[in-house]
Amino acid sequence: MRQANRRFLVALATVVVAALTFGLLASARPAQRATASATTIRVKAVEFRFVLSAKSAPRGRVTFVVKNVGYSSHDFKINGKRTPLIDPGTTARLTVRFTKAGKYPYRCTVDAHAQAGMRGLFTIR
């Protein structure tokens, strides 16, 4: 009888470990998906250009963190959304959801900044 109790306890421990492992793996999957679909792009605004940390991102949610390191106020517009006016030395965040692959123009909408060079194309893969 003692041998049967030992086998039962080993089998029970195996089932508990398997259940815990499955539970941890199942709960990790949604977090991995959410992380995979969110991208952060750092943008420096300087007279008269933008410097992006990356020129492309996968489809999904993209957050542009725009820091104005120039001497005049700027904004950042892409896919119909734009930041508020960003004063020198400050930062603004803009989150945009991209559902289709393609090239999306971005620009500064202040005065003639875009014509002076504050524009470009961002690629969604």
Side-chain angles (χ1 to χ4, degrees), residues 63-109:
T63 298
F64 297 92
V65 179
V66 185
K67 180 168 183 152
N68 184 349
V69 294
Y71 297 102
S72 62
S73 296
H74 301 291
D75 66 2
F76 183 82
K77 181 178 180 180
I78 188 167
N79 200 28
K81 291 190 169 191
R82 77 177 178 100
T83 65
L85 205 55
I86 308 166
D87 291 326
T90 61
T91 301
R93 297 172 71 87
L94 179 67
T95 300
V96 181
R97 180 172 295 281
F98 294 96
T99 58
K100 295 181 182 177
K103 295 190 182 292
Y104 292 83
Y106 60 86
R107 61 187 227 125
C108 177
T109 67

Coordinates of all heavy atoms in Angstrom, one line a residue, residues 63-109:
T63 N 3.7 54.5 -31.2 CA 3.8 55.7 -30.4 C 5.0 56.5 -30.8 O 6.1 56.0 -30.7 CB 3.8 55.4 -28.9 OG1 2.6 54.7 -28.5 CG2 3.9 56.7 -28.0
F64 N 4.8 57.7 -31.2 CA 5.9 58.6 -31.6 C 6.1 59.5 -30.4 O 5.2 60.2 -29.9 CB 5.5 59.5 -32.8 CG 5.2 58.7 -34.0 CD1 4.0 58.2 -34.4 CD2 6.3 58.4 -34.9 CE1 3.7 57.5 -35.5 CE2 6.1 57.6 -36.0 CZ 4.8 57.2 -36.4
V65 N 7.3 59.4 -29.9 CA 7.8 60.3 -28.7 C 8.6 61.4 -29.4 O 9.8 61.2 -29.8 CB 8.5 59.5 -27.7 CG1 9.0 60.4 -26.5 CG2 7.7 58.3 -27.2
V66 N 8.0 62.6 -29.5 CA 8.7 63.7 -30.2 C 9.3 64.7 -29.2 O 8.6 65.3 -28.4 CB 7.6 64.4 -31.1 CG1 8.3 65.5 -31.9 CG2 6.9 63.4 -31.9
K67 N 10.6 64.8 -29.3 CA 11.3 65.8 -28.5 C 11.8 66.9 -29.3 O 12.5 66.7 -30.3 CB 12.5 65.1 -27.8 CG 13.2 66.1 -26.9 CD 14.2 65.4 -26.0 CE 14.8 66.5 -25.1 NZ 15.3 66.1 -23.9
N68 N 11.4 68.2 -28.9 CA 11.9 69.3 -29.6 C 13.2 69.8 -29.1 O 13.3 70.3 -28.0 CB 10.8 70.5 -29.5 CG 11.2 71.7 -30.3 OD1 12.3 71.8 -30.8 ND2 10.3 72.6 -30.4
V69 N 14.3 69.5 -29.9 CA 15.6 69.9 -29.5 C 16.1 71.2 -30.2 O 17.2 71.5 -30.2 CB 16.6 68.8 -29.6 CG1 16.3 67.6 -28.7 CG2 16.7 68.3 -31.1
G70 N 15.1 71.8 -30.9 CA 15.4 73.0 -31.7 C 15.2 74.3 -30.9 O 15.0 74.2 -29.6
Y71 N 15.1 75.4 -31.6 CA 14.9 76.7 -30.9 C 13.5 77.3 -31.2 O 13.2 78.3 -30.6 CB 16.0 77.7 -31.5 CG 17.4 77.2 -31.1 CD1 18.2 76.6 -32.0 CD2 17.8 77.4 -29.8 CE1 19.4 76.2 -31.7 CE2 19.1 76.9 -29.5 CZ 19.9 76.3 -30.4 OH 21.1 75.9 -30.1
S72 N 12.7 76.7 -32.0 CA 11.4 77.2 -32.2 C 10.4 76.1 -32.0 O 10.7 74.9 -32.0 CB 11.2 77.8 -33.7 OG 11.4 76.8 -34.6
S73 N 9.1 76.4 -31.9 CA 8.1 75.4 -31.6 C 7.8 74.6 -32.9 O 7.8 75.2 -34.0 CB 6.8 76.1 -31.1 OG 7.0 76.8 -29.9
H74 N 7.5 73.4 -32.7 CA 7.1 72.5 -33.8 C 6.0 71.6 -33.4 O 5.6 71.5 -32.2 CB 8.3 71.6 -34.1 CG 9.5 72.3 -34.5 ND1 9.7 73.0 -35.7 CD2 10.7 72.5 -33.9 CE1 10.8 73.6 -35.8 NE2 11.5 73.2 -34.7
D75 N 5.4 70.9 -34.3 CA 4.5 69.8 -34.1 C 4.8 68.6 -35.0 O 5.7 68.7 -35.8 CB 3.0 70.2 -34.2 CG 2.6 70.6 -35.6 OD1 3.4 70.5 -36.5 OD2 1.5 71.0 -35.8
F76 N 4.1 67.5 -34.9 CA 4.4 66.3 -35.7 C 3.0 65.8 -36.1 O 2.2 65.4 -35.2 CB 5.2 65.3 -34.9 CG 5.5 64.1 -35.6 CD1 6.7 64.1 -36.4 CD2 4.8 62.9 -35.5 CE1 7.0 62.9 -37.1 CE2 5.2 61.8 -36.2 CZ 6.3 61.8 -37.0
K77 N 2.8 65.7 -37.4 CA 1.5 65.2 -37.9 C 1.8 64.0 -38.8 O 2.7 64.0 -39.7 CB 0.8 66.3 -38.7 CG -0.5 65.8 -39.3 CD -1.2 66.9 -40.1 CE -2.5 66.5 -40.6 NZ -3.2 67.5 -41.3
I78 N 1.0 62.9 -38.6 CA 1.0 61.7 -39.4 C -0.3 61.0 -39.4 O -1.0 61.0 -38.3 CB 2.1 60.7 -38.9 CG1 2.3 59.6 -39.9 CG2 1.9 60.3 -37.5 CD1 3.6 58.8 -39.7
N79 N -0.8 60.5 -40.5 CA -2.0 59.8 -40.6 C -3.2 60.5 -40.0 O -4.1 59.9 -39.4 CB -1.9 58.4 -40.0 CG -2.9 57.4 -40.5 OD1 -3.4 57.5 -41.6 ND2 -3.2 56.4 -39.7
G80 N -3.3 61.8 -40.2 CA -4.4 62.6 -39.8 C -4.4 63.0 -38.3 O -5.3 63.6 -37.8
K81 N -3.4 62.6 -37.6 CA -3.3 63.0 -36.2 C -2.0 63.8 -36.0 O -1.1 63.7 -36.7 CB -3.1 61.7 -35.3 CG -4.4 60.9 -35.2 CD -4.2 59.8 -34.2 CE -5.6 59.2 -33.9 NZ -5.5 58.4 -32.7
R82 N -2.1 64.7 -35.0 CA -0.9 65.5 -34.7 C -0.7 65.8 -33.3 O -1.7 65.8 -32.5 CB -0.9 66.8 -35.6 CG -1.8 67.9 -35.1 CD -1.6 69.1 -36.0 NE -2.5 70.1 -35.6 CZ -2.2 71.2 -34.9 NH1 -0.9 71.3 -34.5 NH2 -3.1 72.0 -34.5
T83 N 0.5 66.1 -32.9 CA 0.8 66.5 -31.5 C 0.3 68.0 -31.3 O 0.1 68.7 -32.3 CB 2.3 66.5 -31.2 OG1 2.9 67.4 -32.0 CG2 2.9 65.1 -31.4
P84 N 0.2 68.4 -30.1 CA 0.0 69.8 -29.9 C 1.3 70.5 -30.2 O 2.4 69.8 -30.4 CB -0.3 69.9 -28.4 CG 0.1 68.6 -27.8 CD 0.1 67.6 -28.8
L85 N 1.4 71.8 -30.2 CA 2.6 72.5 -30.4 C 3.6 72.2 -29.3 O 3.3 72.2 -28.1 CB 2.3 74.0 -30.4 CG 3.3 74.9 -31.1 CD1 3.4 74.5 -32.6 CD2 2.8 76.4 -31.0
I86 N 4.8 71.8 -29.7 CA 5.9 71.4 -28.8 C 6.9 72.5 -28.7 O 7.6 72.8 -29.6 CB 6.5 70.1 -29.3 CG1 5.5 69.0 -29.6 CG2 7.5 69.6 -28.3 CD1 6.0 67.9 -30.4
D87 N 7.0 73.1 -27.5 CA 8.0 74.1 -27.2 C 9.4 73.6 -27.2 O 9.5 72.4 -26.8 CB 7.6 74.9 -25.9 CG 6.3 75.7 -26.1 OD1 6.1 76.2 -27.2 OD2 5.6 75.8 -25.1
P88 N 10.4 74.4 -27.4 CA 11.8 73.9 -27.3 C 12.0 73.3 -25.9 O 11.6 73.8 -24.9 CB 12.6 75.2 -27.5 CG 11.7 76.1 -28.3 CD 10.3 75.8 -27.8
G89 N 12.7 72.2 -26.0 CA 13.1 71.5 -24.7 C 12.0 70.6 -24.2 O 12.3 69.9 -23.1
T90 N 10.9 70.5 -24.8 CA 9.8 69.7 -24.3 C 9.5 68.5 -25.2 O 10.0 68.4 -26.3 CB 8.5 70.5 -24.0 OG1 8.1 71.0 -25.3 CG2 8.8 71.6 -23.0
T91 N 8.7 67.6 -24.7 CA 8.4 66.3 -25.4 C 6.9 66.1 -25.5 O 6.2 66.5 -24.5 CB 9.1 65.1 -24.7 OG1 10.5 65.4 -24.6 CG2 8.8 63.8 -25.4
A92 N 6.4 65.5 -26.6 CA 5.0 65.1 -26.7 C 4.9 63.7 -27.2 O 5.8 63.3 -27.9 CB 4.3 66.1 -27.6
R93 N 3.8 63.0 -26.9 CA 3.6 61.7 -27.4 C 2.4 61.7 -28.3 O 1.4 62.3 -28.0 CB 3.4 60.7 -26.2 CG 4.6 60.6 -25.3 CD 4.2 59.8 -24.0 NE 4.0 58.4 -24.3 CZ 5.0 57.5 -24.3 NH1 6.2 57.9 -24.0 NH2 4.8 56.3 -24.5
L94 N 2.5 60.9 -29.3 CA 1.4 60.7 -30.3 C 1.3 59.2 -30.6 O 2.2 58.6 -31.1 CB 1.7 61.5 -31.6 CG 0.6 61.4 -32.6 CD1 -0.7 62.1 -32.2 CD2 1.1 62.1 -33.9
T95 N 0.1 58.6 -30.3 CA -0.1 57.2 -30.6 C -1.1 57.1 -31.8 O -2.1 57.7 -31.8 CB -0.6 56.5 -29.4 OG1 0.3 56.6 -28.3 CG2 -0.9 55.0 -29.7
V96 N -0.7 56.4 -32.8 CA -1.4 56.2 -34.0 C -1.6 54.7 -34.3 O -0.6 54.0 -34.2 CB -0.7 56.9 -35.2 CG1 -1.6 56.7 -36.5 CG2 -0.5 58.4 -34.9
R97 N -2.8 54.3 -34.7 CA -3.0 52.9 -35.1 C -3.0 52.8 -36.6 O -3.7 53.5 -37.3 CB -4.3 52.4 -34.5 CG -4.6 50.9 -34.9 CD -5.8 50.3 -34.3 NE -5.6 50.2 -32.8 CZ -5.0 49.3 -32.2 NH1 -4.3 48.4 -32.9 NH2 -4.9 49.2 -30.9
F98 N -2.0 52.0 -37.1 CA -1.9 51.8 -38.5 C -2.5 50.4 -38.8 O -2.0 49.4 -38.3 CB -0.4 51.8 -39.0 CG 0.1 53.2 -38.8 CD1 0.9 53.6 -37.7 CD2 0.0 54.2 -39.8 CE1 1.4 54.8 -37.5 CE2 0.5 55.4 -39.7 CZ 1.3 55.8 -38.5
T99 N -3.5 50.3 -39.7 CA -4.1 49.0 -40.0 C -3.6 48.5 -41.4 O -3.8 47.3 -41.7 CB -5.6 49.1 -40.0 OG1 -6.0 50.1 -41.0 CG2 -6.1 49.4 -38.6
K100 N -3.0 49.3 -42.2 CA -2.6 48.9 -43.5 C -1.1 49.2 -43.8 O -0.6 50.3 -43.3 CB -3.4 49.7 -44.6 CG -4.9 49.3 -44.6 CD -5.6 50.1 -45.7 CE -7.1 49.7 -45.7 NZ -7.8 50.5 -46.7
A101 N -0.4 48.3 -44.5 CA 0.9 48.6 -44.8 C 1.0 49.7 -45.9 O 0.0 49.9 -46.6 CB 1.6 47.3 -45.4
G102 N 2.1 50.4 -45.9 CA 2.2 51.5 -46.9 C 3.2 52.6 -46.4 O 3.8 52.4 -45.3
K103 N 3.2 53.6 -47.1 CA 4.1 54.8 -46.8 C 3.2 55.9 -46.3 O 2.2 56.3 -47.0 CB 4.9 55.2 -48.0 CG 5.9 54.1 -48.4 CD 6.9 54.6 -49.4 CE 7.9 53.6 -49.8 NZ 8.8 53.1 -48.8
Y104 N 3.5 56.5 -45.2 CA 2.7 57.5 -44.6 C 3.5 58.8 -44.4 O 4.5 58.8 -43.8 CB 2.1 57.1 -43.2 CG 1.1 55.9 -43.3 CD1 1.6 54.6 -43.4 CD2 -0.2 56.2 -43.3 CE1 0.6 53.6 -43.5 CE2 -1.2 55.2 -43.4 CZ -0.7 53.9 -43.5 OH -1.6 52.9 -43.6
P105 N 3.0 59.9 -45.1 CA 3.8 61.1 -44.9 C 3.6 61.7 -43.5 O 2.6 61.6 -42.9 CB 3.2 62.1 -46.0 CG 1.8 61.5 -46.3 CD 1.9 60.0 -46.0
Y106 N 4.7 62.3 -43.0 CA 4.7 63.0 -41.8 C 5.3 64.4 -42.0 O 6.0 64.6 -43.0 CB 5.4 62.3 -40.6 CG 6.9 62.1 -40.9 CD1 7.9 63.0 -40.6 CD2 7.4 60.8 -41.5 CE1 9.2 62.8 -40.9 CE2 8.7 60.6 -41.7 CZ 9.6 61.6 -41.4 OH 11.0 61.4 -41.6
R107 N 4.9 65.4 -41.2 CA 5.4 66.7 -41.4 C 5.1 67.6 -40.1 O 4.3 67.2 -39.3 CB 4.7 67.4 -42.6 CG 3.2 67.4 -42.5 CD 2.5 67.9 -43.7 NE 1.6 68.9 -43.4 CZ 1.5 70.2 -43.8 NH1 2.3 70.5 -44.8 NH2 0.6 71.0 -43.4
C108 N 5.8 68.7 -40.1 CA 5.5 69.8 -39.1 C 4.5 70.7 -39.8 O 4.7 71.1 -41.0 CB 6.8 70.5 -38.8 SG 6.5 71.9 -37.6
T109 N 3.4 71.1 -39.1 CA 2.4 72.0 -39.7 C 2.6 73.4 -39.4 O 1.8 74.3 -39.8 CB 1.0 71.5 -39.3 OG1 0.8 71.8 -37.9 CG2 0.8 70.1 -39.7

